[in-house]
Every structure is written in structure tokens, then in C-alpha cells.
């Protein structure tokens, strides 16, 4: 009886360990295959000691450069439908921030202030034509606003695509405040889970790229399922309060052209506070326009080809206005 009990105990302990080992092997093998199947679309450029993945379309002399800024945890490949809509007429660039996507990891703390400093150098050293049109989705909208406030002479206009608001963690309904705090901590959890292959096996990160299709979807998932990307995303999440604090210092953009796109598909109890915060962002400029994109959720508004024409139209509107005022 004692021998049977020891055997059962061994199974209880050994089976989970075996599954973890097998999951780890699966993760390593699948990640290696992904690196071969989905190489970066652009090139690596060194900024402040970090190799950043930069991806540009169009002619560098085709008006001001459109700079697409990703959300926290997102990747440059998520902008593909919007890039496709702009490439024939504009110079459009996107990139992966420190430690995310196909970029290397500095290992240092990071926040939107660090991102702004690196974006300035990235643009100055890689043929961006100013003043830039900044397009920020989610957390990328925070980066865009801080950049425009820090370097107004380099900024021709701003498009916010369902942008994060610096006070949303305090102004959402209580249930959503808890969910936002959980979201910030979830990047670190997924980083650890990615060692086991569980997120990859069950496509747990698919909602983060809702709306993407084909090669852009496959490439994005290949990086979302890596330890490295989630480690970089977790580092950005840890810097959220520093980013939000600096964003609170942004009070006006004067008459700078600004277009705010808002996703309609939020939980009903969150909609009033979200619309109020988006209206406040639009009011940072006296030359603003705000539109609600019906049917789009927070991811789809930036990534889904159904809504890409709305984003492209907003960018063209701001770029045209900036051209008339510069």
C-alpha cells in the first residue's frame, strides 16, 4: 500500500513537471520556426544603444512623414492595413519600441518619456521629413501627445486612435479600474507563461490583434508568443504612472491639427467615461475633429481592414491641414 501511495505521489508531482518541460521544448521549437517564417519587415537601426525595428513605406520626399505609434503590448505589424492605405501617397513609418516586436531590449526602465526621446533621434537619423504627423493608438496616443508637447516644432499634427487617457485608471467605473490594473500586471504574467508555451498553444493573445488577417496576423502572433516581447511590454507597463504623470502636464496644442477617432464597442457601463476622456483629448487643440467609429472595438479600430479607411482618411485630413499651415 505504501508503495502504491509513493507511486501516486510521484505521478502527482512528476506529471505537471513533465508537461512543463514538454511545453518549454514546444515553445523553444515553435519560436525558432517563427523567427525563420516571419522575419522583420523593415530594418534594425541603433538609437541610444538599442536596435529598433523600423519599417517605412513610400517615398521619403512625399510630404511630411506619417509616424504610426503602437499601443502597449502591440507591434509594428499591427499597422499593416493602415500602412497599405497610405504608402502610395505618403512616407509612412512605424517601429517597435525598446524590447518589443523585433527590437532589442535595453534592459533599462522605460516609459513614454524614454520613448519620446528615442523617437526624436530615430526620426532625425533615418530620413523622416518634418514636421511629422503623429498617429497614436492606445498607449501610442500618450507617446504622441508627450512628443508633440516636448517638440512642437517637429510636430505638424496628431491623430489619436482610441487613445489611452492618462487618468483612465482613476476615472473608469470601479470595476473597470480593477480591470485596467490587472491589464498592466498581465504583461509580466504572460511573459512567464510564454516560457511554458501555454499562450501559444491556446492562442491566448489573439484578442490583442483582433481584426488583423493573413501575414500581418501571423507575424504579430509570432512575436506576441515570445518571452522577449512580453518582457518589453511588461517594462512599459511598469512605467505607466511615469508616463501618465508627464501626460497630465500637456495642457494645449494651440491650433495644431488634431483628429480623435473613438471605438464604439466598449462595455456599455464604460462608454460615458471613455467618451468624456476622449472629448478632453480633442479639446487640447482648438483645431480638432472627433469621430466615433461604430462597430469597432479597441483593437479593431487600428488593425482591422474594415476600419483602416477611416484611420487613413483622418490622417490625410490632418496632413492636408498641416501642409496648409506650415
Amino acid at each position: 500500500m505504501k508503495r502504491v501511495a509513493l507511486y501516486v505521489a510521484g505521478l502527482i508531482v512528476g506529471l505537471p513537471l513533465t508537461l512543463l518541460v514538454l511545453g518549454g521544448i514546444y515553445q523553444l521549437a515553435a519560436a525558432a520556426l517563427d523567427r525563420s517564417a516571419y522575419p522583420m519587415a523593415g530594418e534594425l537601426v541603433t538609437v541610444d544603444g538599442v536596435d529598433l525595428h523600423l519599417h517605412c513605406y513610400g517615398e521619403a520626399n512625399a510630404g511630411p512623414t506619417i509616424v504610426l505609434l503602437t499601443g502597449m503590448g502591440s507591434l509594428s505589424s499591427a499597422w499593416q492595413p493602415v500602412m497599405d492605405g497610405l504608402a502610395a501617397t505618403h512616407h509612412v513609418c512605424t517601429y517597435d519600441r525598446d524590447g518589443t516586436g523585433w527590437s532589442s531590449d535595453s534592459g533599462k526602465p522605460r516609459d513614454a518619456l524614454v520613448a519620446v526621446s528615442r523617437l526624436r533621434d530615430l526620426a532625425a537619423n533615418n530620413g523622416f521629413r518634418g514636421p511629422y504627423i503623429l498617429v497614436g493608438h492606445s498607449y501610442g496616443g500618450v507617446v504622441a501627445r508627450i512628443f508633440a508637447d516636448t517638440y512642437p516644432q517637429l510636430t505638424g499634427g496628431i491623430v489619436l486612435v482610441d487613445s489611452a487617457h492618462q487618468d483612465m485608471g482613476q476615472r473608469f467605473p470601479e470595476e473597470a479600474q480593477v480591470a485596467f490594473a490587472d491589464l498592466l500586471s498581465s504583461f509580466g504574467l504572460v511573459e512567464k507563461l510564454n516560457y511554458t508555451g501555454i499562450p501559444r498553444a491556446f492562442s491566448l493573445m489573439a484578442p490583442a490583434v483582433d481584426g488583423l488577417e493573413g501575414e500581418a496576423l501571423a507575424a504579430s502572433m509570432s512575436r506576441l508568443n515570445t518571452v522577449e516581447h512580453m518582457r518589453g511590454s511588461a517594462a512599459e507597463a511598469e512605467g505607466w504612472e511615469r508616463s501618465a504623470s508627464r501626460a497630465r502636464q500637456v495642457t494645449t496644442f494651440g491650433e495644431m491639427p488634431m483628429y480623435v477617432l473613438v471605438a464604439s464597442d466598449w462595455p456599455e457601463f464604460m462608454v460615458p467615461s471613455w467618451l468624456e476622456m476622449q472629448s478632453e483629448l480633442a479639446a487640447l487643440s482648438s483645431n480638432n475633429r472627433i469621430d466615433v467609429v461604430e462597430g469597432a472595438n479597441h483593437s479593431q479600430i487600428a488593425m482591422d481592414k474594415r476600419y483602416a479607411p477611416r484611420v487613413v482618411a483622418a490622417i490625410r485630413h490632418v496632413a492636408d491641414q498641416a501642409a496648409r499651415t506650415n
Side-chain angles (χ1 to χ4, degrees), residues 236-266:
E236 282 198 334
E238 289 171 1
W240 166 254
E241 284 304 326
R242 296 191 299 275
S243 302
S245 178
R246 175 61 181 88
R248 292 184 188 106
Q249 299 173 30
V250 180
T251 57
T252 182
F253 293 123
E255 297 180 352
M256 182 182 294
M258 175 180 264
Y259 205 122
V260 175
L261 292 167
V262 187
S264 72
D265 189 12
W266 282 83

PDB file of all heavy atoms in Angstrom, residues 236-266:
ATOM      1  N   GLU A 236       7.226  48.431 -20.125  1.00  0.00           N
ATOM      2  CA  GLU A 236       6.443  49.634 -20.410  1.00  0.00           C
ATOM      3  C   GLU A 236       5.290  49.782 -19.421  1.00  0.00           C
ATOM      4  O   GLU A 236       4.985  50.894 -18.976  1.00  0.00           O
ATOM      5  CB  GLU A 236       5.891  49.591 -21.831  1.00  0.00           C
ATOM      6  CG  GLU A 236       6.910  49.931 -22.895  1.00  0.00           C
ATOM      7  CD  GLU A 236       6.277  50.311 -24.220  1.00  0.00           C
ATOM      8  OE1 GLU A 236       5.143  49.865 -24.510  1.00  0.00           O
ATOM      9  OE2 GLU A 236       6.929  51.062 -24.977  1.00  0.00           O
ATOM     10  N   ALA A 237       4.647  48.669 -19.102  1.00  0.00           N
ATOM     11  CA  ALA A 237       3.530  48.715 -18.154  1.00  0.00           C
ATOM     12  C   ALA A 237       3.994  49.193 -16.781  1.00  0.00           C
ATOM     13  O   ALA A 237       3.286  49.949 -16.099  1.00  0.00           O
ATOM     14  CB  ALA A 237       2.879  47.338 -18.050  1.00  0.00           C
ATOM     15  N   GLU A 238       5.180  48.773 -16.377  1.00  0.00           N
ATOM     16  CA  GLU A 238       5.720  49.210 -15.088  1.00  0.00           C
ATOM     17  C   GLU A 238       5.955  50.716 -15.064  1.00  0.00           C
ATOM     18  O   GLU A 238       5.942  51.344 -13.994  1.00  0.00           O
ATOM     19  CB  GLU A 238       7.024  48.468 -14.793  1.00  0.00           C
ATOM     20  CG  GLU A 238       6.821  46.994 -14.462  1.00  0.00           C
ATOM     21  CD  GLU A 238       8.130  46.231 -14.398  1.00  0.00           C
ATOM     22  OE1 GLU A 238       9.196  46.858 -14.584  1.00  0.00           O
ATOM     23  OE2 GLU A 238       8.093  45.000 -14.179  1.00  0.00           O
ATOM     24  N   GLY A 239       6.166  51.309 -16.238  1.00  0.00           N
ATOM     25  CA  GLY A 239       6.398  52.752 -16.316  1.00  0.00           C
ATOM     26  C   GLY A 239       5.145  53.568 -16.562  1.00  0.00           C
ATOM     27  O   GLY A 239       5.238  54.778 -16.823  1.00  0.00           O
ATOM     28  N   TRP A 240       3.965  52.939 -16.474  1.00  0.00           N
ATOM     29  CA  TRP A 240       2.727  53.646 -16.807  1.00  0.00           C
ATOM     30  C   TRP A 240       2.538  54.917 -15.990  1.00  0.00           C
ATOM     31  O   TRP A 240       2.193  55.973 -16.541  1.00  0.00           O
ATOM     32  CB  TRP A 240       1.509  52.737 -16.640  1.00  0.00           C
ATOM     33  CG  TRP A 240       0.215  53.524 -16.658  1.00  0.00           C
ATOM     34  CD1 TRP A 240      -0.587  53.817 -15.602  1.00  0.00           C
ATOM     35  CD2 TRP A 240      -0.374  54.169 -17.796  1.00  0.00           C
ATOM     36  NE1 TRP A 240      -1.659  54.592 -15.996  1.00  0.00           N
ATOM     37  CE2 TRP A 240      -1.544  54.822 -17.339  1.00  0.00           C
ATOM     38  CE3 TRP A 240      -0.028  54.255 -19.148  1.00  0.00           C
ATOM     39  CZ2 TRP A 240      -2.376  55.549 -18.197  1.00  0.00           C
ATOM     40  CZ3 TRP A 240      -0.855  54.987 -20.009  1.00  0.00           C
ATOM     41  CH2 TRP A 240      -2.009  55.621 -19.532  1.00  0.00           C
ATOM     42  N   GLU A 241       2.733  54.870 -14.709  1.00  0.00           N
ATOM     43  CA  GLU A 241       2.461  56.050 -13.875  1.00  0.00           C
ATOM     44  C   GLU A 241       3.393  57.206 -14.219  1.00  0.00           C
ATOM     45  O   GLU A 241       2.995  58.367 -14.174  1.00  0.00           O
ATOM     46  CB  GLU A 241       2.543  55.704 -12.385  1.00  0.00           C
ATOM     47  CG  GLU A 241       1.332  54.946 -11.867  1.00  0.00           C
ATOM     48  CD  GLU A 241       0.019  55.694 -12.118  1.00  0.00           C
ATOM     49  OE1 GLU A 241       0.019  56.941 -12.078  1.00  0.00           O
ATOM     50  OE2 GLU A 241      -0.996  55.028 -12.370  1.00  0.00           O
ATOM     51  N   ARG A 242       4.646  56.919 -14.576  1.00  0.00           N
ATOM     52  CA  ARG A 242       5.549  57.986 -15.009  1.00  0.00           C
ATOM     53  C   ARG A 242       5.050  58.601 -16.310  1.00  0.00           C
ATOM     54  O   ARG A 242       5.084  59.820 -16.501  1.00  0.00           O
ATOM     55  CB  ARG A 242       6.973  57.449 -15.186  1.00  0.00           C
ATOM     56  CG  ARG A 242       7.621  56.947 -13.909  1.00  0.00           C
ATOM     57  CD  ARG A 242       9.097  56.679 -14.097  1.00  0.00           C
ATOM     58  NE  ARG A 242       9.392  55.661 -15.115  1.00  0.00           N
ATOM     59  CZ  ARG A 242       9.397  54.364 -14.881  1.00  0.00           C
ATOM     60  NH1 ARG A 242       9.094  53.887 -13.676  1.00  0.00           N
ATOM     61  NH2 ARG A 242       9.686  53.504 -15.858  1.00  0.00           N
ATOM     62  N   SER A 243       4.587  57.743 -17.206  1.00  0.00           N
ATOM     63  CA  SER A 243       4.052  58.222 -18.482  1.00  0.00           C
ATOM     64  C   SER A 243       2.807  59.075 -18.259  1.00  0.00           C
ATOM     65  O   SER A 243       2.664  60.161 -18.840  1.00  0.00           O
ATOM     66  CB  SER A 243       3.705  57.034 -19.387  1.00  0.00           C
ATOM     67  OG  SER A 243       4.829  56.217 -19.615  1.00  0.00           O
ATOM     68  N   ALA A 244       1.898  58.583 -17.422  1.00  0.00           N
ATOM     69  CA  ALA A 244       0.658  59.311 -17.158  1.00  0.00           C
ATOM     70  C   ALA A 244       0.938  60.649 -16.496  1.00  0.00           C
ATOM     71  O   ALA A 244       0.295  61.669 -16.812  1.00  0.00           O
ATOM     72  CB  ALA A 244      -0.263  58.459 -16.285  1.00  0.00           C
ATOM     73  N   SER A 245       1.898  60.674 -15.579  1.00  0.00           N
ATOM     74  CA  SER A 245       2.233  61.922 -14.893  1.00  0.00           C
ATOM     75  C   SER A 245       2.713  62.982 -15.887  1.00  0.00           C
ATOM     76  O   SER A 245       2.323  64.155 -15.800  1.00  0.00           O
ATOM     77  CB  SER A 245       3.311  61.651 -13.839  1.00  0.00           C
ATOM     78  OG  SER A 245       3.693  62.847 -13.190  1.00  0.00           O
ATOM     79  N   ARG A 246       3.555  62.579 -16.838  1.00  0.00           N
ATOM     80  CA  ARG A 246       4.033  63.555 -17.837  1.00  0.00           C
ATOM     81  C   ARG A 246       2.892  63.968 -18.758  1.00  0.00           C
ATOM     82  O   ARG A 246       2.796  65.161 -19.148  1.00  0.00           O
ATOM     83  CB  ARG A 246       5.174  62.924 -18.647  1.00  0.00           C
ATOM     84  CG  ARG A 246       5.674  63.808 -19.797  1.00  0.00           C
ATOM     85  CD  ARG A 246       6.232  65.128 -19.293  1.00  0.00           C
ATOM     86  NE  ARG A 246       6.684  65.968 -20.398  1.00  0.00           N
ATOM     87  CZ  ARG A 246       5.906  66.829 -21.074  1.00  0.00           C
ATOM     88  NH1 ARG A 246       4.623  66.937 -20.742  1.00  0.00           N
ATOM     89  NH2 ARG A 246       6.404  67.556 -22.051  1.00  0.00           N
ATOM     90  N   ALA A 247       2.006  63.048 -19.116  1.00  0.00           N
ATOM     91  CA  ALA A 247       0.886  63.385 -19.991  1.00  0.00           C
ATOM     92  C   ALA A 247      -0.053  64.389 -19.335  1.00  0.00           C
ATOM     93  O   ALA A 247      -0.684  65.205 -20.031  1.00  0.00           O
ATOM     94  CB  ALA A 247       0.124  62.125 -20.384  1.00  0.00           C
ATOM     95  N   ARG A 248      -0.146  64.370 -18.014  1.00  0.00           N
ATOM     96  CA  ARG A 248      -1.002  65.334 -17.312  1.00  0.00           C
ATOM     97  C   ARG A 248      -0.487  66.768 -17.449  1.00  0.00           C
ATOM     98  O   ARG A 248      -1.234  67.720 -17.223  1.00  0.00           O
ATOM     99  CB  ARG A 248      -1.119  64.958 -15.832  1.00  0.00           C
ATOM    100  CG  ARG A 248      -1.881  63.663 -15.596  1.00  0.00           C
ATOM    101  CD  ARG A 248      -2.073  63.347 -14.126  1.00  0.00           C
ATOM    102  NE  ARG A 248      -2.639  62.011 -13.985  1.00  0.00           N
ATOM    103  CZ  ARG A 248      -1.978  60.936 -13.568  1.00  0.00           C
ATOM    104  NH1 ARG A 248      -0.694  61.066 -13.210  1.00  0.00           N
ATOM    105  NH2 ARG A 248      -2.563  59.770 -13.508  1.00  0.00           N
ATOM    106  N   GLN A 249       0.766  66.915 -17.798  1.00  0.00           N
ATOM    107  CA  GLN A 249       1.349  68.246 -17.964  1.00  0.00           C
ATOM    108  C   GLN A 249       1.026  68.857 -19.326  1.00  0.00           C
ATOM    109  O   GLN A 249       1.296  70.031 -19.559  1.00  0.00           O
ATOM    110  CB  GLN A 249       2.861  68.175 -17.777  1.00  0.00           C
ATOM    111  CG  GLN A 249       3.304  67.692 -16.406  1.00  0.00           C
ATOM    112  CD  GLN A 249       4.805  67.470 -16.337  1.00  0.00           C
ATOM    113  OE1 GLN A 249       5.584  68.117 -17.021  1.00  0.00           O
ATOM    114  NE2 GLN A 249       5.226  66.535 -15.498  1.00  0.00           N
ATOM    115  N   VAL A 250       0.459  68.055 -20.218  1.00  0.00           N
ATOM    116  CA  VAL A 250       0.092  68.557 -21.541  1.00  0.00           C
ATOM    117  C   VAL A 250      -1.252  69.275 -21.422  1.00  0.00           C
ATOM    118  O   VAL A 250      -2.267  68.658 -21.112  1.00  0.00           O
ATOM    119  CB  VAL A 250      -0.008  67.407 -22.563  1.00  0.00           C
ATOM    120  CG1 VAL A 250      -0.397  67.947 -23.927  1.00  0.00           C
ATOM    121  CG2 VAL A 250       1.306  66.633 -22.635  1.00  0.00           C
ATOM    122  N   THR A 251      -1.256  70.572 -21.687  1.00  0.00           N
ATOM    123  CA  THR A 251      -2.477  71.362 -21.485  1.00  0.00           C
ATOM    124  C   THR A 251      -3.071  71.905 -22.777  1.00  0.00           C
ATOM    125  O   THR A 251      -4.281  72.111 -22.859  1.00  0.00           O
ATOM    126  CB  THR A 251      -2.209  72.535 -20.534  1.00  0.00           C
ATOM    127  OG1 THR A 251      -1.144  73.345 -21.073  1.00  0.00           O
ATOM    128  CG2 THR A 251      -1.813  72.034 -19.146  1.00  0.00           C
ATOM    129  N   THR A 252      -2.260  72.147 -23.798  1.00  0.00           N
ATOM    130  CA  THR A 252      -2.793  72.666 -25.055  1.00  0.00           C
ATOM    131  C   THR A 252      -1.814  72.439 -26.201  1.00  0.00           C
ATOM    132  O   THR A 252      -0.598  72.435 -25.991  1.00  0.00           O
ATOM    133  CB  THR A 252      -3.115  74.164 -24.957  1.00  0.00           C
ATOM    134  OG1 THR A 252      -3.675  74.612 -26.207  1.00  0.00           O
ATOM    135  CG2 THR A 252      -1.868  74.974 -24.643  1.00  0.00           C
ATOM    136  N   PHE A 253      -2.389  72.250 -27.380  1.00  0.00           N
ATOM    137  CA  PHE A 253      -1.602  72.226 -28.620  1.00  0.00           C
ATOM    138  C   PHE A 253      -1.947  73.421 -29.496  1.00  0.00           C
ATOM    139  O   PHE A 253      -1.611  73.439 -30.683  1.00  0.00           O
ATOM    140  CB  PHE A 253      -1.848  70.924 -29.386  1.00  0.00           C
ATOM    141  CG  PHE A 253      -1.334  69.699 -28.687  1.00  0.00           C
ATOM    142  CD1 PHE A 253      -2.186  68.646 -28.389  1.00  0.00           C
ATOM    143  CD2 PHE A 253      -0.004  69.594 -28.315  1.00  0.00           C
ATOM    144  CE1 PHE A 253      -1.714  67.500 -27.749  1.00  0.00           C
ATOM    145  CE2 PHE A 253       0.474  68.455 -27.671  1.00  0.00           C
ATOM    146  CZ  PHE A 253      -0.387  67.416 -27.387  1.00  0.00           C
ATOM    147  N   GLY A 254      -2.625  74.401 -28.905  1.00  0.00           N
ATOM    148  CA  GLY A 254      -2.982  75.581 -29.675  1.00  0.00           C
ATOM    149  C   GLY A 254      -3.888  75.231 -30.839  1.00  0.00           C
ATOM    150  O   GLY A 254      -4.935  74.609 -30.655  1.00  0.00           O
ATOM    151  N   GLU A 255      -3.469  75.595 -32.062  1.00  0.00           N
ATOM    152  CA  GLU A 255      -4.265  75.334 -33.257  1.00  0.00           C
ATOM    153  C   GLU A 255      -3.702  74.168 -34.081  1.00  0.00           C
ATOM    154  O   GLU A 255      -4.048  74.013 -35.254  1.00  0.00           O
ATOM    155  CB  GLU A 255      -4.327  76.590 -34.126  1.00  0.00           C
ATOM    156  CG  GLU A 255      -5.017  77.758 -33.442  1.00  0.00           C
ATOM    157  CD  GLU A 255      -5.058  78.987 -34.319  1.00  0.00           C
ATOM    158  OE1 GLU A 255      -4.421  78.983 -35.394  1.00  0.00           O
ATOM    159  OE2 GLU A 255      -5.743  79.954 -33.941  1.00  0.00           O
ATOM    160  N   MET A 256      -2.848  73.355 -33.479  1.00  0.00           N
ATOM    161  CA  MET A 256      -2.299  72.211 -34.204  1.00  0.00           C
ATOM    162  C   MET A 256      -3.426  71.289 -34.653  1.00  0.00           C
ATOM    163  O   MET A 256      -4.302  70.941 -33.864  1.00  0.00           O
ATOM    164  CB  MET A 256      -1.332  71.432 -33.316  1.00  0.00           C
ATOM    165  CG  MET A 256      -0.660  70.250 -34.003  1.00  0.00           C
ATOM    166  SD  MET A 256       0.434  69.327 -32.889  1.00  0.00           S
ATOM    167  CE  MET A 256       1.706  70.553 -32.562  1.00  0.00           C
ATOM    168  N   PRO A 257      -3.440  70.859 -35.922  1.00  0.00           N
ATOM    169  CA  PRO A 257      -4.498  69.954 -36.385  1.00  0.00           C
ATOM    170  C   PRO A 257      -4.521  68.656 -35.577  1.00  0.00           C
ATOM    171  O   PRO A 257      -3.492  68.026 -35.367  1.00  0.00           O
ATOM    172  CB  PRO A 257      -4.113  69.680 -37.843  1.00  0.00           C
ATOM    173  CG  PRO A 257      -3.248  70.830 -38.247  1.00  0.00           C
ATOM    174  CD  PRO A 257      -2.507  71.236 -37.002  1.00  0.00           C
ATOM    175  N   MET A 258      -5.723  68.279 -35.146  1.00  0.00           N
ATOM    176  CA  MET A 258      -5.873  67.059 -34.344  1.00  0.00           C
ATOM    177  C   MET A 258      -7.170  66.361 -34.725  1.00  0.00           C
ATOM    178  O   MET A 258      -8.200  67.006 -34.916  1.00  0.00           O
ATOM    179  CB  MET A 258      -5.871  67.398 -32.851  1.00  0.00           C
ATOM    180  CG  MET A 258      -6.152  66.199 -31.953  1.00  0.00           C
ATOM    181  SD  MET A 258      -6.145  66.646 -30.197  1.00  0.00           S
ATOM    182  CE  MET A 258      -4.484  66.203 -29.780  1.00  0.00           C
ATOM    183  N   TYR A 259      -7.079  65.048 -34.843  1.00  0.00           N
ATOM    184  CA  TYR A 259      -8.246  64.227 -35.181  1.00  0.00           C
ATOM    185  C   TYR A 259      -8.293  63.095 -34.165  1.00  0.00           C
ATOM    186  O   TYR A 259      -7.321  62.370 -33.991  1.00  0.00           O
ATOM    187  CB  TYR A 259      -8.099  63.666 -36.591  1.00  0.00           C
ATOM    188  CG  TYR A 259      -9.385  63.323 -37.312  1.00  0.00           C
ATOM    189  CD1 TYR A 259      -9.685  63.909 -38.536  1.00  0.00           C
ATOM    190  CD2 TYR A 259     -10.298  62.405 -36.783  1.00  0.00           C
ATOM    191  CE1 TYR A 259     -10.852  63.581 -39.231  1.00  0.00           C
ATOM    192  CE2 TYR A 259     -11.463  62.084 -37.458  1.00  0.00           C
ATOM    193  CZ  TYR A 259     -11.731  62.685 -38.682  1.00  0.00           C
ATOM    194  OH  TYR A 259     -12.895  62.363 -39.360  1.00  0.00           O
ATOM    195  N   VAL A 260      -9.437  62.924 -33.500  1.00  0.00           N
ATOM    196  CA  VAL A 260      -9.599  61.886 -32.483  1.00  0.00           C
ATOM    197  C   VAL A 260     -10.647  60.884 -32.963  1.00  0.00           C
ATOM    198  O   VAL A 260     -11.806  61.237 -33.187  1.00  0.00           O
ATOM    199  CB  VAL A 260     -10.016  62.505 -31.129  1.00  0.00           C
ATOM    200  CG1 VAL A 260     -10.298  61.401 -30.102  1.00  0.00           C
ATOM    201  CG2 VAL A 260      -8.938  63.451 -30.620  1.00  0.00           C
ATOM    202  N   LEU A 261     -10.206  59.638 -33.147  1.00  0.00           N
ATOM    203  CA  LEU A 261     -11.104  58.548 -33.507  1.00  0.00           C
ATOM    204  C   LEU A 261     -11.391  57.715 -32.260  1.00  0.00           C
ATOM    205  O   LEU A 261     -10.465  57.383 -31.497  1.00  0.00           O
ATOM    206  CB  LEU A 261     -10.471  57.669 -34.573  1.00  0.00           C
ATOM    207  CG  LEU A 261     -10.296  58.306 -35.959  1.00  0.00           C
ATOM    208  CD1 LEU A 261      -9.387  57.448 -36.827  1.00  0.00           C
ATOM    209  CD2 LEU A 261     -11.640  58.507 -36.639  1.00  0.00           C
ATOM    210  N   VAL A 262     -12.642  57.367 -32.058  1.00  0.00           N
ATOM    211  CA  VAL A 262     -13.057  56.665 -30.847  1.00  0.00           C
ATOM    212  C   VAL A 262     -13.792  55.382 -31.225  1.00  0.00           C
ATOM    213  O   VAL A 262     -14.717  55.406 -32.052  1.00  0.00           O
ATOM    214  CB  VAL A 262     -13.983  57.548 -29.983  1.00  0.00           C
ATOM    215  CG1 VAL A 262     -14.262  56.876 -28.639  1.00  0.00           C
ATOM    216  CG2 VAL A 262     -13.397  58.936 -29.779  1.00  0.00           C
ATOM    217  N   ALA A 263     -13.396  54.260 -30.654  1.00  0.00           N
ATOM    218  CA  ALA A 263     -14.096  52.997 -30.876  1.00  0.00           C
ATOM    219  C   ALA A 263     -15.410  52.996 -30.112  1.00  0.00           C
ATOM    220  O   ALA A 263     -15.479  53.457 -28.970  1.00  0.00           O
ATOM    221  CB  ALA A 263     -13.220  51.828 -30.430  1.00  0.00           C
ATOM    222  N   SER A 264     -16.447  52.469 -30.742  1.00  0.00           N
ATOM    223  CA  SER A 264     -17.762  52.453 -30.092  1.00  0.00           C
ATOM    224  C   SER A 264     -17.983  51.218 -29.240  1.00  0.00           C
ATOM    225  O   SER A 264     -18.817  51.219 -28.328  1.00  0.00           O
ATOM    226  CB  SER A 264     -18.870  52.531 -31.148  1.00  0.00           C
ATOM    227  OG  SER A 264     -18.965  51.302 -31.870  1.00  0.00           O
ATOM    228  N   ASP A 265     -17.258  50.124 -29.560  1.00  0.00           N
ATOM    229  CA  ASP A 265     -17.568  48.831 -28.954  1.00  0.00           C
ATOM    230  C   ASP A 265     -16.823  48.636 -27.638  1.00  0.00           C
ATOM    231  O   ASP A 265     -15.937  47.791 -27.508  1.00  0.00           O
ATOM    232  CB  ASP A 265     -17.234  47.708 -29.932  1.00  0.00           C
ATOM    233  CG  ASP A 265     -17.740  46.344 -29.454  1.00  0.00           C
ATOM    234  OD1 ASP A 265     -18.536  46.323 -28.497  1.00  0.00           O
ATOM    235  OD2 ASP A 265     -17.338  45.319 -30.026  1.00  0.00           O
ATOM    236  N   TRP A 266     -17.195  49.448 -26.644  1.00  0.00           N
ATOM    237  CA  TRP A 266     -16.740  49.279 -25.273  1.00  0.00           C
ATOM    238  C   TRP A 266     -17.914  48.773 -24.451  1.00  0.00           C
ATOM    239  O   TRP A 266     -19.073  48.985 -24.829  1.00  0.00           O
ATOM    240  CB  TRP A 266     -16.259  50.621 -24.699  1.00  0.00           C
ATOM    241  CG  TRP A 266     -14.891  51.032 -25.172  1.00  0.00           C
ATOM    242  CD1 TRP A 266     -14.571  51.655 -26.341  1.00  0.00           C
ATOM    243  CD2 TRP A 266     -13.664  50.841 -24.469  1.00  0.00           C
ATOM    244  NE1 TRP A 266     -13.220  51.873 -26.417  1.00  0.00           N
ATOM    245  CE2 TRP A 266     -12.636  51.383 -25.288  1.00  0.00           C
ATOM    246  CE3 TRP A 266     -13.314  50.278 -23.249  1.00  0.00           C
ATOM    247  CZ2 TRP A 266     -11.292  51.368 -24.910  1.00  0.00           C
ATOM    248  CZ3 TRP A 266     -11.985  50.263 -22.873  1.00  0.00           C
ATOM    249  CH2 TRP A 266     -10.983  50.801 -23.697  1.00  0.00           C
TER     250      TRP A 266
END
